[in-house]
Structure formats: C-alpha cells, structure tokens
Amino acid sequence: MPLLLKNCRILVNDKVYSKNILVKKDKISKITNKEPKADGIIDVNNNFVLPGLIDVHVHMREPGLTHKEDFLTGSMAAAKGGITTILDMPNTIPPTTTVAALEEKRKLASKSVVNYGFNFGATLNNLSDIKKAKNIASVKLYMDATTGAMKVEDFDSITDIFRASKLTIIHAEDMNVKAAIDILIKNKIKNKLHVAHVSSAKELQYAKQNSIKKQVSVEVTPNHLFMNEKYIQTLGAFAEMKPRLKTEHDQKALWDGIKNGEVDIIATDHAPHLREEKEQANYPFGVPGLETMLPLLLDAFNQNNITLQKIMQLCCENPAKIFKIKNKGFLKEGYDADLVIADLDKRQAVRNEDLLTKCRWSPFDGKILKGWPVMTIVNGNVVYDNGQINDVKAKEVQYGR
Ligand code: DOR
Ligand code: ZN
C-alpha cells in the first residue's frame, strides 16, 4: 500500500525544497519531484515535513505507576507532539534494573503507538544484569535524588558502571557532573557519557570544558529552556522538578549552548504526576512534556531563537547518532518512515483539556504558541491526524553497536 505525501517542504543542508515523499511499507522509498503511483495520497499543502522526533528521556511509568501514565497514553501524547520514538526511563515499580524487569517492561511496551526503547537502571550491585541486558539504549545512573530510590553514591560502583556500559546517562547535578567526568578521566575509561537535563551555566561548563568533551554529550529539556525559577512562584509544585528550574542567567546560558554547539540533544524528561499528587505537601518532582516540546521549539523558531535545522539536529539526528538508533532520525530514502508534518503558521494555546497524557496538565497551559505538529506518521502509518489518534502499534528500536 504505497502512500504518497504530496507538496512537502523539506530542509536539506539548510535549504528548503518542495518534494513528494513516497512511503512503501514502513520505509521512505523515494523523495522526488515526480508523482509516483500510490494507493493513498496525502496533500501536505506545503507544510514542513521533518523526521519524527526521538525523545531519549521519557518516564512512561509502566509498570507500577500507571495511575500517572502508561505506554498507551504516553505514546499517544508523544504522537500528538510529533515524537515518533521514545526511550523510557527505569524508575518504575519494579525498577528496570534486572533482566526479568526489562523483559516484563518489553511486553508492556508493545501497546505503544510510537517506537520505543529502554534505558536500563544501574544499582550498587547489578553489573551482571547490565552485562546480560539485551537491546538496551543505555544504562541510566542516578547520582542525585529522583522519583524512586535509585541513587548510587559509591564512586567505586560508579566507576564499574562506566566501565561496563558503552553509553551511560547520568542524572547528576552541580558538582556531580564534574565528579562523573573526573572519574572517566582518572580511570581512562573510553565509554560515552550522556549528561541528562543540564540545567545551569555551571553544569554546562563542567560537561563541555574538559579534555574528554567529545566523549560527553549534553541534553537540555524544554523546561529549563522555556522556564526559570520565577515560574515556581506562580506555579508552585507544578513547576518543581529535578534538577530545579534555575535563574534567567542559567536559562540564557543553555540557549547560548544551543547556538554555540555545546548542547547535543533536547529531550522532554516527560515526568507526569497527577494533579492530586502535586497538590500534596510532599509533592513528587517532575512535569509532563511530550505534547509541548515541538510546539515550544517551533514557536521559538518563529521568534528567530532557533533554526529548523537546529531543531532537527538536536531532536532527530543527534539522538539517533548518540544512541546509535538504527535507520531513524533522518529524512532520507531507505530510512524508516517516521515523519512529522508541522504547520509553522498555526497559532494555538496549550490547553490542559486537549492533552492526551494521563495527568492532563502542563506548566505551559494557556501559552499561545505559533507552530504545531498536525500529522505524525510512525512506520508508514498515520498515527496522529489533527487531533485524532489511530491506534496502530509500533516497534522496539534496534541499535547499531
Ligand atoms: O523531576 C524529575 N522527575 N526528576 C527526576 O529525576 C525524576 C522524574 C520523575 O520520574 O518524576
Ligand atoms: Zn527524568
């Protein structure tokens, strides 16, 4: 059933082209000026077509916390946000720190409508599971507090984890970013380190100004790019996350990092919690983000704060390269047909009642944004179309390492 997307605007090396895209089965078959025969035709009306976004930092909450989110609701939210691949985080109940828990999660994830992969959790003593775990995106190591008890503080254990894992994601704050990098340098470990949610000028400096900066990749979240600590005054717990929102100076440093190439990836850190939970005195940390990341970035594009090329690089290409995800992240013939159609002129407010995430709130509620995804295609199937979800199951991603 070939599908033809007609009148697409695409971006190649910073130049805009008008093309037709032929999708055959789950692949991009041709990007062409011609009009090849197809069973289905979608007129894209000169909207932009980008590779589907790859979000390397998502808390899908399944198993154990499915009152907050599950693989179906979370993946529907992702599709609505133009995200076609998510990498899930391990702080579920049970945590994804054993081979058995990983295999159980793998079964649960099969209901996802976007493609998925798993970040495996590190503990003080699960090296043998880390070595046995099959087809994982990375090993996630918490050096600071998070939702769930996953903190590893012992430097010898951290060193062993860095040695065992080709790619470790660290949740490290402030001086711990430096500590993690110092461990790699001191022990001459050549494996890669991905620093999740860098939130301050200081953390960015630690991550990128050292002798092994090529070994280290930097992630920032839309939360820290589009909010700062002032938001806590008005939103209270609904703007509380780890790492905490920082000053306007720090916020600017992250934008400078995007411009000067120090930031490698933008990821949501989608961390849904129910309203009732946030309203308690000992509220949990984290905010949802799957449905707002791309609209926020497209709005920033419309305000000349970021280029489309940069959005593609940080949300599609670099995630695929750094996590070595096969056949994704690029709009090229032969690649997987994971696509998002973006209407750059569409102006709309973020509205809690429109959200598909189970928690149904956003710190950006009420914010008017210009630039929205209008259709999302996953493995050649239209999964999101102007407000409607088509429940077609997606696949687990594979890695080239
Ligand atoms: O704000 C956060 N929320 N930071 C974390 O480290 C975990 C996350 C969550 O799982 O809720
Ligand atoms: Zn997280």
Side-chain angles (χ1 to χ4, degrees), residues 23 40 75 86 113 116 120 126 134 138 160 168 192 216 219 249 263 276 295 299 347 357 362 364 372 375 377 385:
V23 172
S75 68
I86 63 99
V113 300
Y116 51 88
F120 194 79
N126 73 338
K134 294 224 168 66
S138 78
D160 290 344
T168 304
K192 298 263 165 50
V216 180
E219 167 194 304
H249 165 78
V263 172
E276 302 87 276
D299 187 70
R347 200 184 277 276
T357 170
S362 161
F364 300 105
W372 284 83
M375 184 182 277
I377 294 175
D385 183 3

mmCIF file of all heavy atoms in Angstrom, residues 23 40 75 86 113 116 120 126 134 138 160 168 192 216 219 249 263 276 295 299 347 357 362 364 372 375 377 385:
data_model
loop_
_atom_site.group_PDB
_atom_site.id
_atom_site.type_symbol
_atom_site.label_atom_id
_atom_site.label_comp_id
_atom_site.label_asym_id
_atom_site.label_seq_id
_atom_site.Cartn_x
_atom_site.Cartn_y
_atom_site.Cartn_z
ATOM 1 N N VAL A 23 6.104 6.637 0.500
ATOM 2 C CA VAL A 23 6.339 5.710 1.617
ATOM 3 C C VAL A 23 5.876 4.334 1.174
ATOM 4 O O VAL A 23 4.742 4.170 0.708
ATOM 5 C CB VAL A 23 5.532 6.169 2.853
ATOM 6 C CG1 VAL A 23 5.592 5.124 3.958
ATOM 7 C CG2 VAL A 23 6.037 7.523 3.353
ATOM 8 N N GLY A 40 -2.585 5.507 -1.482
ATOM 9 C CA GLY A 40 -3.084 6.616 -0.674
ATOM 10 C C GLY A 40 -2.303 7.880 -0.990
ATOM 11 O O GLY A 40 -1.097 7.817 -1.233
ATOM 12 N N SER A 75 2.379 7.187 24.832
ATOM 13 C CA SER A 75 2.774 7.152 23.416
ATOM 14 C C SER A 75 1.799 7.951 22.555
ATOM 15 O O SER A 75 2.188 8.533 21.546
ATOM 16 C CB SER A 75 2.908 5.710 22.924
ATOM 17 O OG SER A 75 1.652 5.058 22.885
ATOM 18 N N ILE A 86 10.471 6.990 21.516
ATOM 19 C CA ILE A 86 10.793 7.402 22.895
ATOM 20 C C ILE A 86 11.729 6.364 23.525
ATOM 21 O O ILE A 86 11.647 5.170 23.224
ATOM 22 C CB ILE A 86 9.531 7.567 23.773
ATOM 23 C CG1 ILE A 86 8.772 6.234 23.931
ATOM 24 C CG2 ILE A 86 8.568 8.615 23.208
ATOM 25 C CD1 ILE A 86 9.029 5.511 25.202
ATOM 26 N N VAL A 113 2.072 3.299 20.565
ATOM 27 C CA VAL A 113 1.829 3.708 19.170
ATOM 28 C C VAL A 113 3.007 4.483 18.582
ATOM 29 O O VAL A 113 2.957 4.901 17.424
ATOM 30 C CB VAL A 113 0.520 4.526 19.011
ATOM 31 C CG1 VAL A 113 -0.682 3.702 19.465
ATOM 32 C CG2 VAL A 113 0.579 5.849 19.769
ATOM 33 N N TYR A 116 9.854 2.557 20.465
ATOM 34 C CA TYR A 116 10.324 2.687 21.843
ATOM 35 C C TYR A 116 11.608 1.911 22.082
ATOM 36 O O TYR A 116 11.934 0.970 21.346
ATOM 37 C CB TYR A 116 9.241 2.200 22.829
ATOM 38 C CG TYR A 116 8.709 0.824 22.479
ATOM 39 C CD1 TYR A 116 9.320 -0.338 22.959
ATOM 40 C CD2 TYR A 116 7.609 0.682 21.620
ATOM 41 C CE1 TYR A 116 8.856 -1.593 22.611
ATOM 42 C CE2 TYR A 116 7.144 -0.574 21.262
ATOM 43 C CZ TYR A 116 7.770 -1.706 21.759
ATOM 44 O OH TYR A 116 7.310 -2.950 21.386
ATOM 45 N N PHE A 120 18.279 1.245 30.799
ATOM 46 C CA PHE A 120 18.352 0.255 31.887
ATOM 47 C C PHE A 120 18.942 0.921 33.118
ATOM 48 O O PHE A 120 19.889 1.694 33.015
ATOM 49 C CB PHE A 120 19.251 -0.895 31.404
ATOM 50 C CG PHE A 120 19.200 -2.145 32.228
ATOM 51 C CD1 PHE A 120 18.146 -3.033 32.089
ATOM 52 C CD2 PHE A 120 20.222 -2.445 33.120
ATOM 53 C CE1 PHE A 120 18.107 -4.205 32.838
ATOM 54 C CE2 PHE A 120 20.192 -3.615 33.872
ATOM 55 C CZ PHE A 120 19.126 -4.502 33.730
ATOM 56 N N ASN A 126 24.206 -4.381 40.331
ATOM 57 C CA ASN A 126 23.541 -5.135 39.247
ATOM 58 C C ASN A 126 24.380 -5.222 37.971
ATOM 59 O O ASN A 126 23.842 -5.330 36.874
ATOM 60 C CB ASN A 126 22.146 -4.561 38.949
ATOM 61 C CG ASN A 126 22.186 -3.226 38.213
ATOM 62 O OD1 ASN A 126 23.187 -2.535 38.264
ATOM 63 N ND2 ASN A 126 21.108 -2.879 37.532
ATOM 64 N N LYS A 134 19.586 -7.261 27.078
ATOM 65 C CA LYS A 134 19.624 -7.252 25.609
ATOM 66 C C LYS A 134 18.936 -6.010 25.029
ATOM 67 O O LYS A 134 17.880 -5.615 25.489
ATOM 68 C CB LYS A 134 18.895 -8.488 25.072
ATOM 69 C CG LYS A 134 19.596 -9.765 25.432
ATOM 70 C CD LYS A 134 19.644 -10.726 24.226
ATOM 71 C CE LYS A 134 20.595 -11.866 24.489
ATOM 72 N NZ LYS A 134 20.127 -12.744 25.572
ATOM 73 N N SER A 138 20.806 2.471 26.801
ATOM 74 C CA SER A 138 21.890 2.997 27.638
ATOM 75 C C SER A 138 21.727 2.410 29.027
ATOM 76 O O SER A 138 20.759 1.706 29.301
ATOM 77 C CB SER A 138 21.766 4.519 27.765
ATOM 78 O OG SER A 138 20.755 4.831 28.719
ATOM 79 N N ASP A 160 32.767 1.243 38.061
ATOM 80 C CA ASP A 160 32.484 -0.065 37.445
ATOM 81 C C ASP A 160 31.368 0.048 36.409
ATOM 82 O O ASP A 160 31.424 -0.588 35.356
ATOM 83 C CB ASP A 160 32.073 -1.080 38.519
ATOM 84 C CG ASP A 160 33.245 -1.467 39.404
ATOM 85 O OD1 ASP A 160 34.397 -1.205 39.001
ATOM 86 O OD2 ASP A 160 33.003 -2.000 40.503
ATOM 87 N N THR A 168 26.521 5.593 29.193
ATOM 88 C CA THR A 168 25.812 5.793 30.461
ATOM 89 C C THR A 168 25.163 7.171 30.431
ATOM 90 O O THR A 168 25.800 8.149 30.045
ATOM 91 C CB THR A 168 26.777 5.715 31.663
ATOM 92 O OG1 THR A 168 27.460 4.468 31.624
ATOM 93 C CG2 THR A 168 26.029 5.829 32.991
ATOM 94 N N LYS A 192 31.125 6.211 26.537
ATOM 95 C CA LYS A 192 30.471 7.522 26.412
ATOM 96 C C LYS A 192 29.610 7.855 27.634
ATOM 97 O O LYS A 192 29.067 6.959 28.292
ATOM 98 C CB LYS A 192 29.562 7.515 25.168
ATOM 99 C CG LYS A 192 30.322 7.290 23.861
ATOM 100 C CD LYS A 192 30.604 8.604 23.203
ATOM 101 C CE LYS A 192 31.636 8.589 22.104
ATOM 102 N NZ LYS A 192 31.535 7.616 21.052
ATOM 103 N N VAL A 216 31.545 13.190 25.834
ATOM 104 C CA VAL A 216 30.439 13.589 26.699
ATOM 105 C C VAL A 216 29.382 14.312 25.869
ATOM 106 O O VAL A 216 29.696 15.237 25.130
ATOM 107 C CB VAL A 216 30.959 14.559 27.796
ATOM 108 C CG1 VAL A 216 29.815 14.994 28.717
ATOM 109 C CG2 VAL A 216 32.089 13.912 28.596
ATOM 110 N N GLU A 219 22.434 17.032 27.258
ATOM 111 C CA GLU A 219 20.996 17.122 26.989
ATOM 112 C C GLU A 219 20.426 18.296 27.786
ATOM 113 O O GLU A 219 20.823 18.528 28.922
ATOM 114 C CB GLU A 219 20.354 15.811 27.449
ATOM 115 C CG GLU A 219 18.849 15.782 27.555
ATOM 116 C CD GLU A 219 18.395 14.545 28.343
ATOM 117 O OE1 GLU A 219 18.760 13.407 27.957
ATOM 118 O OE2 GLU A 219 17.696 14.722 29.353
ATOM 119 N N HIS A 249 19.805 33.850 34.134
ATOM 120 C CA HIS A 249 21.184 33.761 33.640
ATOM 121 C C HIS A 249 21.498 32.326 33.174
ATOM 122 O O HIS A 249 22.073 32.116 32.101
ATOM 123 C CB HIS A 249 22.149 34.212 34.746
ATOM 124 C CG HIS A 249 23.565 33.832 34.490
ATOM 125 N ND1 HIS A 249 24.375 34.522 33.609
ATOM 126 C CD2 HIS A 249 24.320 32.804 34.966
ATOM 127 C CE1 HIS A 249 25.563 33.955 33.572
ATOM 128 N NE2 HIS A 249 25.561 32.908 34.381
ATOM 129 N N VAL A 263 25.316 22.108 23.268
ATOM 130 C CA VAL A 263 24.180 21.239 23.583
ATOM 131 C C VAL A 263 23.979 20.267 22.424
ATOM 132 O O VAL A 263 23.954 20.669 21.263
ATOM 133 C CB VAL A 263 22.898 22.076 23.809
ATOM 134 C CG1 VAL A 263 21.667 21.185 23.940
ATOM 135 C CG2 VAL A 263 23.059 22.961 25.049
ATOM 136 N N GLU A 276 -3.511 15.704 41.906
ATOM 137 C CA GLU A 276 -3.706 15.455 43.352
ATOM 138 C C GLU A 276 -2.366 15.226 44.036
ATOM 139 O O GLU A 276 -2.168 15.622 45.191
ATOM 140 C CB GLU A 276 -4.564 14.199 43.598
ATOM 141 C CG GLU A 276 -5.938 14.207 42.971
ATOM 142 C CD GLU A 276 -5.918 13.685 41.533
ATOM 143 O OE1 GLU A 276 -5.617 14.497 40.616
ATOM 144 O OE2 GLU A 276 -6.206 12.501 41.309
ATOM 145 N N PRO A 295 5.965 22.077 19.731
ATOM 146 C CA PRO A 295 5.331 23.402 19.602
ATOM 147 C C PRO A 295 6.170 24.528 20.227
ATOM 148 O O PRO A 295 6.280 25.607 19.632
ATOM 149 C CB PRO A 295 3.995 23.234 20.338
ATOM 150 C CG PRO A 295 3.715 21.766 20.276
ATOM 151 C CD PRO A 295 5.047 21.072 20.289
ATOM 152 N N ASP A 299 7.650 27.513 17.984
ATOM 153 C CA ASP A 299 7.358 28.893 18.372
ATOM 154 C C ASP A 299 8.671 29.690 18.521
ATOM 155 O O ASP A 299 8.767 30.835 18.074
ATOM 156 C CB ASP A 299 6.573 28.894 19.688
ATOM 157 C CG ASP A 299 6.087 30.275 20.076
ATOM 158 O OD1 ASP A 299 5.180 30.783 19.392
ATOM 159 O OD2 ASP A 299 6.637 30.853 21.033
ATOM 160 N N ARG A 347 -1.449 28.906 14.988
ATOM 161 C CA ARG A 347 -1.334 29.567 16.285
ATOM 162 C C ARG A 347 -2.385 28.964 17.207
ATOM 163 O O ARG A 347 -3.568 28.928 16.863
ATOM 164 C CB ARG A 347 -1.604 31.064 16.084
ATOM 165 C CG ARG A 347 -1.108 31.976 17.142
ATOM 166 C CD ARG A 347 -1.563 33.377 16.786
ATOM 167 N NE ARG A 347 -0.685 34.034 15.835
ATOM 168 C CZ ARG A 347 0.433 34.676 16.179
ATOM 169 N NH1 ARG A 347 0.788 34.737 17.433
ATOM 170 N NH2 ARG A 347 1.166 35.269 15.271
ATOM 171 N N THR A 357 -1.762 13.060 27.657
ATOM 172 C CA THR A 357 -1.075 12.453 28.801
ATOM 173 C C THR A 357 -2.087 12.237 29.917
ATOM 174 O O THR A 357 -3.003 13.041 30.097
ATOM 175 C CB THR A 357 0.100 13.324 29.307
ATOM 176 O OG1 THR A 357 0.564 12.780 30.552
ATOM 177 C CG2 THR A 357 -0.307 14.778 29.545
ATOM 178 N N SER A 362 -0.267 20.832 32.090
ATOM 179 C CA SER A 362 1.046 21.236 31.589
ATOM 180 C C SER A 362 1.417 22.551 32.250
ATOM 181 O O SER A 362 0.550 23.404 32.456
ATOM 182 C CB SER A 362 0.982 21.427 30.070
ATOM 183 O OG SER A 362 2.081 22.224 29.640
ATOM 184 N N PHE A 364 2.720 24.777 30.824
ATOM 185 C CA PHE A 364 2.579 25.780 29.752
ATOM 186 C C PHE A 364 1.115 26.042 29.404
ATOM 187 O O PHE A 364 0.828 26.707 28.398
ATOM 188 C CB PHE A 364 3.361 25.323 28.512
ATOM 189 C CG PHE A 364 4.834 25.141 28.781
ATOM 190 C CD1 PHE A 364 5.387 23.866 28.894
ATOM 191 C CD2 PHE A 364 5.657 26.241 28.969
ATOM 192 C CE1 PHE A 364 6.740 23.698 29.165
ATOM 193 C CE2 PHE A 364 7.007 26.081 29.246
ATOM 194 C CZ PHE A 364 7.554 24.807 29.347
ATOM 195 N N TRP A 372 2.760 24.169 15.075
ATOM 196 C CA TRP A 372 2.255 22.943 15.721
ATOM 197 C C TRP A 372 2.375 21.748 14.782
ATOM 198 O O TRP A 372 2.156 21.877 13.573
ATOM 199 C CB TRP A 372 0.771 23.112 16.093
ATOM 200 C CG TRP A 372 0.580 23.970 17.303
ATOM 201 C CD1 TRP A 372 0.556 25.328 17.340
ATOM 202 C CD2 TRP A 372 0.396 23.519 18.657
ATOM 203 N NE1 TRP A 372 0.369 25.759 18.637
ATOM 204 C CE2 TRP A 372 0.255 24.673 19.463
ATOM 205 C CE3 TRP A 372 0.318 22.245 19.270
ATOM 206 C CZ2 TRP A 372 0.062 24.599 20.847
ATOM 207 C CZ3 TRP A 372 0.121 22.179 20.640
ATOM 208 C CH2 TRP A 372 0.001 23.343 21.413
ATOM 209 N N MET A 375 0.286 16.310 11.809
ATOM 210 C CA MET A 375 0.166 14.882 11.478
ATOM 211 C C MET A 375 1.470 14.171 11.828
ATOM 212 O O MET A 375 2.551 14.726 11.621
ATOM 213 C CB MET A 375 -0.124 14.712 9.978
ATOM 214 C CG MET A 375 -0.353 13.267 9.583
ATOM 215 S SD MET A 375 -0.635 13.060 7.820
ATOM 216 C CE MET A 375 -2.358 13.422 7.690
ATOM 217 N N ILE A 377 3.461 10.372 11.428
ATOM 218 C CA ILE A 377 3.479 9.062 10.757
ATOM 219 C C ILE A 377 4.555 8.210 11.420
ATOM 220 O O ILE A 377 5.698 8.655 11.573
ATOM 221 C CB ILE A 377 3.761 9.263 9.249
ATOM 222 C CG1 ILE A 377 2.580 10.022 8.617
ATOM 223 C CG2 ILE A 377 4.001 7.926 8.542
ATOM 224 C CD1 ILE A 377 2.771 10.403 7.163
ATOM 225 N N ASP A 385 -3.517 12.519 13.449
ATOM 226 C CA ASP A 385 -4.002 13.358 12.360
ATOM 227 C C ASP A 385 -4.942 14.409 12.932
ATOM 228 O O ASP A 385 -6.084 14.082 13.279
ATOM 229 C CB ASP A 385 -4.723 12.463 11.323
ATOM 230 C CG ASP A 385 -5.188 13.255 10.116
ATOM 231 O OD1 ASP A 385 -4.912 14.472 10.048
ATOM 232 O OD2 ASP A 385 -5.827 12.644 9.235
#
